[in-house]
mmCIF file of all heavy atoms in Angstrom:
data_model
loop_
_atom_site.group_PDB
_atom_site.id
_atom_site.type_symbol
_atom_site.label_atom_id
_atom_site.label_comp_id
_atom_site.label_asym_id
_atom_site.label_seq_id
_atom_site.Cartn_x
_atom_site.Cartn_y
_atom_site.Cartn_z
ATOM 1 N N SER A 1 1.572 15.039 -19.630
ATOM 2 C CA SER A 1 0.595 14.174 -18.977
ATOM 3 C C SER A 1 1.236 13.562 -17.740
ATOM 4 O O SER A 1 2.462 13.517 -17.602
ATOM 5 C CB SER A 1 0.106 13.069 -19.924
ATOM 6 O OG SER A 1 1.171 12.203 -20.274
ATOM 7 N N MET A 2 0.389 13.087 -16.835
ATOM 8 C CA MET A 2 0.852 12.507 -15.585
ATOM 9 C C MET A 2 0.039 11.256 -15.291
ATOM 10 O O MET A 2 -1.176 11.229 -15.484
ATOM 11 C CB MET A 2 0.683 13.523 -14.446
ATOM 12 C CG MET A 2 1.166 13.055 -13.091
ATOM 13 S SD MET A 2 0.910 14.331 -11.814
ATOM 14 C CE MET A 2 1.934 15.658 -12.455
ATOM 15 N N THR A 3 0.711 10.195 -14.846
ATOM 16 C CA THR A 3 0.022 8.955 -14.497
ATOM 17 C C THR A 3 0.495 8.482 -13.131
ATOM 18 O O THR A 3 1.639 8.724 -12.730
ATOM 19 C CB THR A 3 0.283 7.862 -15.540
ATOM 20 O OG1 THR A 3 1.697 7.716 -15.737
ATOM 21 C CG2 THR A 3 -0.380 8.200 -16.874
ATOM 22 N N PHE A 4 -0.387 7.784 -12.416
ATOM 23 C CA PHE A 4 -0.097 7.269 -11.081
ATOM 24 C C PHE A 4 -0.042 5.747 -11.152
ATOM 25 O O PHE A 4 -0.854 5.112 -11.834
ATOM 26 C CB PHE A 4 -1.190 7.702 -10.105
ATOM 27 C CG PHE A 4 -1.026 7.130 -8.717
ATOM 28 C CD1 PHE A 4 0.013 7.530 -7.903
ATOM 29 C CD2 PHE A 4 -1.917 6.181 -8.227
ATOM 30 C CE1 PHE A 4 0.172 7.004 -6.634
ATOM 31 C CE2 PHE A 4 -1.772 5.645 -6.965
ATOM 32 C CZ PHE A 4 -0.715 6.058 -6.163
ATOM 33 N N HIS A 5 0.927 5.151 -10.459
ATOM 34 C CA HIS A 5 1.151 3.715 -10.575
ATOM 35 C C HIS A 5 1.278 3.078 -9.195
ATOM 36 O O HIS A 5 1.833 3.665 -8.265
ATOM 37 C CB HIS A 5 2.431 3.439 -11.376
ATOM 38 C CG HIS A 5 2.452 4.087 -12.717
ATOM 39 N ND1 HIS A 5 1.986 3.470 -13.852
ATOM 40 C CD2 HIS A 5 2.879 5.318 -13.097
ATOM 41 C CE1 HIS A 5 2.135 4.277 -14.889
ATOM 42 N NE2 HIS A 5 2.668 5.411 -14.453
ATOM 43 N N LEU A 6 0.791 1.852 -9.099
ATOM 44 C CA LEU A 6 0.933 1.041 -7.893
ATOM 45 C C LEU A 6 1.776 -0.179 -8.232
ATOM 46 O O LEU A 6 1.556 -0.831 -9.252
ATOM 47 C CB LEU A 6 -0.434 0.595 -7.370
ATOM 48 C CG LEU A 6 -1.385 1.700 -6.904
ATOM 49 C CD1 LEU A 6 -2.756 1.122 -6.583
ATOM 50 C CD2 LEU A 6 -0.819 2.416 -5.682
ATOM 51 N N GLY A 7 2.734 -0.513 -7.372
ATOM 52 C CA GLY A 7 3.620 -1.619 -7.654
ATOM 53 C C GLY A 7 3.398 -2.861 -6.819
ATOM 54 O O GLY A 7 4.061 -3.873 -7.024
ATOM 55 N N ALA A 8 2.461 -2.791 -5.869
ATOM 56 C CA ALA A 8 2.301 -3.903 -4.931
ATOM 57 C C ALA A 8 1.081 -4.766 -5.204
ATOM 58 O O ALA A 8 0.747 -5.631 -4.391
ATOM 59 C CB ALA A 8 2.243 -3.374 -3.501
ATOM 60 N N GLU A 9 0.407 -4.564 -6.333
ATOM 61 C CA GLU A 9 -0.810 -5.342 -6.593
ATOM 62 C C GLU A 9 -0.592 -6.845 -6.533
ATOM 63 O O GLU A 9 -1.449 -7.565 -6.000
ATOM 64 C CB GLU A 9 -1.424 -4.968 -7.949
ATOM 65 C CG GLU A 9 -1.904 -3.533 -8.048
ATOM 66 C CD GLU A 9 -0.887 -2.662 -8.755
ATOM 67 O OE1 GLU A 9 0.326 -2.860 -8.522
ATOM 68 O OE2 GLU A 9 -1.309 -1.798 -9.549
ATOM 69 N N PRO A 10 0.529 -7.381 -7.063
ATOM 70 C CA PRO A 10 0.711 -8.835 -6.948
ATOM 71 C C PRO A 10 0.754 -9.314 -5.497
ATOM 72 O O PRO A 10 0.190 -10.369 -5.168
ATOM 73 C CB PRO A 10 2.051 -9.076 -7.656
ATOM 74 C CG PRO A 10 2.191 -7.942 -8.606
ATOM 75 C CD PRO A 10 1.587 -6.771 -7.896
ATOM 76 N N LEU A 11 1.395 -8.549 -4.626
ATOM 77 C CA LEU A 11 1.459 -8.929 -3.219
ATOM 78 C C LEU A 11 0.096 -8.789 -2.558
ATOM 79 O O LEU A 11 -0.314 -9.645 -1.776
ATOM 80 C CB LEU A 11 2.486 -8.076 -2.485
ATOM 81 C CG LEU A 11 2.652 -8.389 -1.003
ATOM 82 C CD1 LEU A 11 3.166 -9.809 -0.808
ATOM 83 C CD2 LEU A 11 3.589 -7.392 -0.335
ATOM 84 N N VAL A 12 -0.603 -7.707 -2.854
ATOM 85 C CA VAL A 12 -1.947 -7.509 -2.293
ATOM 86 C C VAL A 12 -2.844 -8.689 -2.669
ATOM 87 O O VAL A 12 -3.577 -9.224 -1.826
ATOM 88 C CB VAL A 12 -2.554 -6.182 -2.795
ATOM 89 C CG1 VAL A 12 -4.018 -6.070 -2.388
ATOM 90 C CG2 VAL A 12 -1.762 -4.997 -2.246
ATOM 91 N N GLU A 13 -2.769 -9.114 -3.912
ATOM 92 C CA GLU A 13 -3.585 -10.244 -4.376
ATOM 93 C C GLU A 13 -3.170 -11.529 -3.663
ATOM 94 O O GLU A 13 -4.020 -12.338 -3.267
ATOM 95 C CB GLU A 13 -3.424 -10.400 -5.886
ATOM 96 C CG GLU A 13 -4.248 -11.519 -6.499
ATOM 97 C CD GLU A 13 -5.744 -11.291 -6.419
ATOM 98 O OE1 GLU A 13 -6.166 -10.118 -6.354
ATOM 99 O OE2 GLU A 13 -6.488 -12.299 -6.411
ATOM 100 N N ALA A 14 -1.868 -11.719 -3.475
ATOM 101 C CA ALA A 14 -1.371 -12.940 -2.844
ATOM 102 C C ALA A 14 -1.798 -13.054 -1.388
ATOM 103 O O ALA A 14 -1.911 -14.164 -0.856
ATOM 104 C CB ALA A 14 0.154 -12.995 -2.947
ATOM 105 N N LEU A 15 -2.049 -11.920 -0.735
ATOM 106 C CA LEU A 15 -2.398 -11.939 0.680
ATOM 107 C C LEU A 15 -3.904 -12.016 0.940
ATOM 108 O O LEU A 15 -4.325 -12.046 2.098
ATOM 109 C CB LEU A 15 -1.824 -10.701 1.384
ATOM 110 C CG LEU A 15 -0.297 -10.654 1.493
ATOM 111 C CD1 LEU A 15 0.138 -9.415 2.261
ATOM 112 C CD2 LEU A 15 0.254 -11.904 2.144
ATOM 113 N N LYS A 16 -4.701 -12.049 -0.126
ATOM 114 C CA LYS A 16 -6.141 -12.212 0.074
ATOM 115 C C LYS A 16 -6.434 -13.570 0.707
ATOM 116 O O LYS A 16 -5.806 -14.573 0.382
ATOM 117 C CB LYS A 16 -6.879 -12.087 -1.265
ATOM 118 C CG LYS A 16 -6.934 -10.670 -1.804
ATOM 119 C CD LYS A 16 -7.715 -10.600 -3.106
ATOM 120 C CE LYS A 16 -7.814 -9.176 -3.623
ATOM 121 N NZ LYS A 16 -8.553 -9.118 -4.923
ATOM 122 N N ASP A 17 -7.379 -13.590 1.637
ATOM 123 C CA ASP A 17 -7.761 -14.833 2.324
ATOM 124 C C ASP A 17 -6.553 -15.515 2.957
ATOM 125 O O ASP A 17 -6.386 -16.737 2.882
ATOM 126 C CB ASP A 17 -8.454 -15.800 1.349
ATOM 127 C CG ASP A 17 -9.694 -15.192 0.718
ATOM 128 O OD1 ASP A 17 -10.458 -14.543 1.454
ATOM 129 O OD2 ASP A 17 -9.879 -15.353 -0.492
ATOM 130 N N SER A 18 -5.703 -14.703 3.577
ATOM 131 C CA SER A 18 -4.503 -15.213 4.232
ATOM 132 C C SER A 18 -4.546 -14.849 5.712
ATOM 133 O O SER A 18 -5.436 -14.113 6.152
ATOM 134 C CB SER A 18 -3.253 -14.602 3.584
ATOM 135 O OG SER A 18 -3.035 -13.284 4.048
ATOM 136 N N PRO A 19 -3.594 -15.319 6.506
ATOM 137 C CA PRO A 19 -3.562 -14.954 7.927
ATOM 138 C C PRO A 19 -3.066 -13.536 8.187
ATOM 139 O O PRO A 19 -2.837 -13.169 9.351
ATOM 140 C CB PRO A 19 -2.575 -15.977 8.531
ATOM 141 C CG PRO A 19 -2.418 -17.046 7.520
ATOM 142 C CD PRO A 19 -2.627 -16.388 6.198
ATOM 143 N N PHE A 20 -2.914 -12.718 7.112
ATOM 144 C CA PHE A 20 -2.330 -11.393 7.268
ATOM 145 C C PHE A 20 -3.291 -10.300 6.800
ATOM 146 O O PHE A 20 -3.979 -10.449 5.789
ATOM 147 C CB PHE A 20 -1.018 -11.293 6.487
ATOM 148 C CG PHE A 20 -0.003 -12.292 6.931
ATOM 149 C CD1 PHE A 20 0.193 -13.464 6.204
ATOM 150 C CD2 PHE A 20 0.734 -12.097 8.083
ATOM 151 C CE1 PHE A 20 1.118 -14.408 6.612
ATOM 152 C CE2 PHE A 20 1.655 -13.035 8.501
ATOM 153 C CZ PHE A 20 1.852 -14.197 7.773
ATOM 154 N N GLU A 21 -3.294 -9.215 7.550
ATOM 155 C CA GLU A 21 -4.049 -8.021 7.191
ATOM 156 C C GLU A 21 -3.045 -6.954 6.774
ATOM 157 O O GLU A 21 -2.225 -6.509 7.581
ATOM 158 C CB GLU A 21 -4.876 -7.535 8.380
ATOM 159 C CG GLU A 21 -5.651 -6.252 8.136
ATOM 160 C CD GLU A 21 -6.349 -5.758 9.389
ATOM 161 O OE1 GLU A 21 -6.804 -6.600 10.187
ATOM 162 O OE2 GLU A 21 -6.423 -4.528 9.584
ATOM 163 N N LEU A 22 -3.111 -6.539 5.512
ATOM 164 C CA LEU A 22 -2.117 -5.618 4.958
ATOM 165 C C LEU A 22 -2.675 -4.202 4.888
ATOM 166 O O LEU A 22 -3.721 -3.963 4.302
ATOM 167 C CB LEU A 22 -1.712 -6.072 3.557
ATOM 168 C CG LEU A 22 -0.652 -5.217 2.856
ATOM 169 C CD1 LEU A 22 0.705 -5.379 3.526
ATOM 170 C CD2 LEU A 22 -0.570 -5.571 1.374
ATOM 171 N N THR A 23 -1.942 -3.254 5.487
ATOM 172 C CA THR A 23 -2.195 -1.834 5.288
ATOM 173 C C THR A 23 -1.169 -1.332 4.283
ATOM 174 O O THR A 23 0.041 -1.474 4.504
ATOM 175 C CB THR A 23 -2.067 -1.055 6.604
ATOM 176 O OG1 THR A 23 -3.050 -1.523 7.522
ATOM 177 C CG2 THR A 23 -2.266 0.439 6.378
ATOM 178 N N TYR A 24 -1.653 -0.762 3.187
ATOM 179 C CA TYR A 24 -0.799 -0.342 2.069
ATOM 180 C C TYR A 24 -0.699 1.181 2.105
ATOM 181 O O TYR A 24 -1.598 1.881 1.671
ATOM 182 C CB TYR A 24 -1.433 -0.846 0.780
ATOM 183 C CG TYR A 24 -0.665 -0.647 -0.511
ATOM 184 C CD1 TYR A 24 0.596 -0.066 -0.577
ATOM 185 C CD2 TYR A 24 -1.229 -1.073 -1.718
ATOM 186 C CE1 TYR A 24 1.258 0.092 -1.767
ATOM 187 C CE2 TYR A 24 -0.574 -0.924 -2.928
ATOM 188 C CZ TYR A 24 0.666 -0.338 -2.946
ATOM 189 O OH TYR A 24 1.327 -0.184 -4.138
ATOM 190 N N MET A 25 0.403 1.700 2.656
ATOM 191 C CA MET A 25 0.628 3.138 2.752
ATOM 192 C C MET A 25 1.466 3.573 1.554
ATOM 193 O O MET A 25 2.644 3.244 1.452
ATOM 194 C CB MET A 25 1.341 3.493 4.059
ATOM 195 C CG MET A 25 1.562 4.986 4.251
ATOM 196 S SD MET A 25 2.385 5.376 5.825
ATOM 197 C CE MET A 25 1.062 5.014 6.986
ATOM 198 N N LYS A 26 0.834 4.311 0.635
ATOM 199 C CA LYS A 26 1.509 4.714 -0.585
ATOM 200 C C LYS A 26 2.642 5.696 -0.279
ATOM 201 O O LYS A 26 2.639 6.397 0.735
ATOM 202 C CB LYS A 26 0.518 5.337 -1.564
ATOM 203 C CG LYS A 26 -0.815 4.607 -1.718
ATOM 204 C CD LYS A 26 -0.670 3.169 -2.119
ATOM 205 C CE LYS A 26 -2.022 2.526 -2.427
ATOM 206 N NZ LYS A 26 -2.928 2.440 -1.270
ATOM 207 N N ALA A 27 3.614 5.761 -1.184
ATOM 208 C CA ALA A 27 4.801 6.593 -0.958
ATOM 209 C C ALA A 27 4.439 8.054 -0.741
ATOM 210 O O ALA A 27 5.023 8.725 0.113
ATOM 211 C CB ALA A 27 5.762 6.441 -2.135
ATOM 212 N N HIS A 28 3.467 8.567 -1.502
ATOM 213 C CA HIS A 28 3.135 9.986 -1.369
ATOM 214 C C HIS A 28 2.392 10.299 -0.073
ATOM 215 O O HIS A 28 2.324 11.461 0.334
ATOM 216 C CB HIS A 28 2.291 10.441 -2.568
ATOM 217 C CG HIS A 28 0.965 9.753 -2.684
ATOM 218 N ND1 HIS A 28 0.829 8.499 -3.223
ATOM 219 C CD2 HIS A 28 -0.283 10.142 -2.321
ATOM 220 C CE1 HIS A 28 -0.445 8.138 -3.195
ATOM 221 N NE2 HIS A 28 -1.139 9.109 -2.643
ATOM 222 N N ASP A 29 1.852 9.281 0.592
ATOM 223 C CA ASP A 29 1.188 9.482 1.880
ATOM 224 C C ASP A 29 2.145 9.322 3.054
ATOM 225 O O ASP A 29 1.888 9.838 4.150
ATOM 226 C CB ASP A 29 0.046 8.481 2.054
ATOM 227 C CG ASP A 29 -1.111 8.730 1.105
ATOM 228 O OD1 ASP A 29 -1.402 9.912 0.833
ATOM 229 O OD2 ASP A 29 -1.710 7.742 0.635
ATOM 230 N N ALA A 30 3.247 8.600 2.833
ATOM 231 C CA ALA A 30 4.089 8.198 3.960
ATOM 232 C C ALA A 30 4.759 9.372 4.657
ATOM 233 O O ALA A 30 4.948 9.341 5.884
ATOM 234 C CB ALA A 30 5.144 7.201 3.482
ATOM 235 N N ALA A 31 5.142 10.422 3.924
ATOM 236 C CA ALA A 31 5.828 11.548 4.556
ATOM 237 C C ALA A 31 5.001 12.131 5.695
ATOM 238 O O ALA A 31 5.534 12.474 6.749
ATOM 239 C CB ALA A 31 6.134 12.626 3.515
ATOM 240 N N LYS A 32 3.695 12.183 5.510
ATOM 241 C CA LYS A 32 2.816 12.759 6.532
ATOM 242 C C LYS A 32 2.232 11.695 7.448
ATOM 243 O O LYS A 32 2.102 11.905 8.664
ATOM 244 C CB LYS A 32 1.682 13.537 5.862
ATOM 245 C CG LYS A 32 0.677 14.157 6.822
ATOM 246 C CD LYS A 32 -0.359 14.978 6.070
ATOM 247 C CE LYS A 32 -1.356 15.625 7.019
ATOM 248 N NZ LYS A 32 -2.191 14.626 7.724
ATOM 249 N N ASP A 33 1.872 10.534 6.898
ATOM 250 C CA ASP A 33 1.041 9.579 7.636
ATOM 251 C C ASP A 33 1.811 8.473 8.353
ATOM 252 O O ASP A 33 1.241 7.808 9.223
ATOM 253 C CB ASP A 33 0.023 8.937 6.685
ATOM 254 C CG ASP A 33 -0.975 9.944 6.151
ATOM 255 O OD1 ASP A 33 -1.118 11.029 6.748
ATOM 256 O OD2 ASP A 33 -1.601 9.654 5.110
ATOM 257 N N PHE A 34 3.072 8.240 8.005
ATOM 258 C CA PHE A 34 3.810 7.210 8.746
ATOM 259 C C PHE A 34 3.891 7.625 10.212
ATOM 260 O O PHE A 34 4.170 8.783 10.523
ATOM 261 C CB PHE A 34 5.209 7.029 8.162
ATOM 262 C CG PHE A 34 5.941 5.836 8.724
ATOM 263 C CD1 PHE A 34 5.830 4.603 8.115
ATOM 264 C CD2 PHE A 34 6.720 5.945 9.862
ATOM 265 C CE1 PHE A 34 6.497 3.490 8.623
ATOM 266 C CE2 PHE A 34 7.386 4.849 10.389
ATOM 267 C CZ PHE A 34 7.268 3.616 9.771
ATOM 268 N N PRO A 35 3.637 6.699 11.139
ATOM 269 C CA PRO A 35 3.531 7.065 12.559
ATOM 270 C C PRO A 35 4.755 7.795 13.099
ATOM 271 O O PRO A 35 5.903 7.518 12.724
ATOM 272 C CB PRO A 35 3.347 5.708 13.245
ATOM 273 C CG PRO A 35 2.687 4.856 12.218
ATOM 274 C CD PRO A 35 3.304 5.277 10.918
ATOM 275 N N LEU A 36 4.474 8.718 14.016
ATOM 276 C CA LEU A 36 5.505 9.488 14.698
ATOM 277 C C LEU A 36 5.709 9.024 16.129
ATOM 278 O O LEU A 36 6.496 9.629 16.865
ATOM 279 C CB LEU A 36 5.133 10.976 14.703
ATOM 280 C CG LEU A 36 5.235 11.706 13.361
ATOM 281 C CD1 LEU A 36 4.493 13.031 13.419
ATOM 282 C CD2 LEU A 36 6.694 11.930 12.982
ATOM 283 N N ALA A 37 5.008 7.971 16.529
ATOM 284 C CA ALA A 37 5.100 7.476 17.897
ATOM 285 C C ALA A 37 5.273 5.969 17.887
ATOM 286 O O ALA A 37 4.652 5.260 17.092
ATOM 287 C CB ALA A 37 3.859 7.867 18.697
#
């Protein structure tokens, strides 16, 4: 079996209604999607 996990939920919750806008780039997306410029 295989399961997928997120580790940043406490931080995401803490930043709700805050002066910060968080983009959460998951590890499996970063190899392709992290900016090249």
Side-chain angles (χ1 to χ4, degrees):
S1 64
M2 182 180 298
T3 53
F4 176 69
H5 305 269
L6 296 173
E9 296 99 321
L11 180 63
V12 171
E13 181 66 26
L15 292 183
K16 287 182 178 179
D17 302 317
S18 79
F20 301 100
E21 177 185 325
L22 181 70
T23 298
Y24 186 2
M25 182 179 289
K26 316 304 187 296
H28 63 280
D29 292 324
K32 179 176 181 294
D33 295 342
F34 189 90
L36 288 165

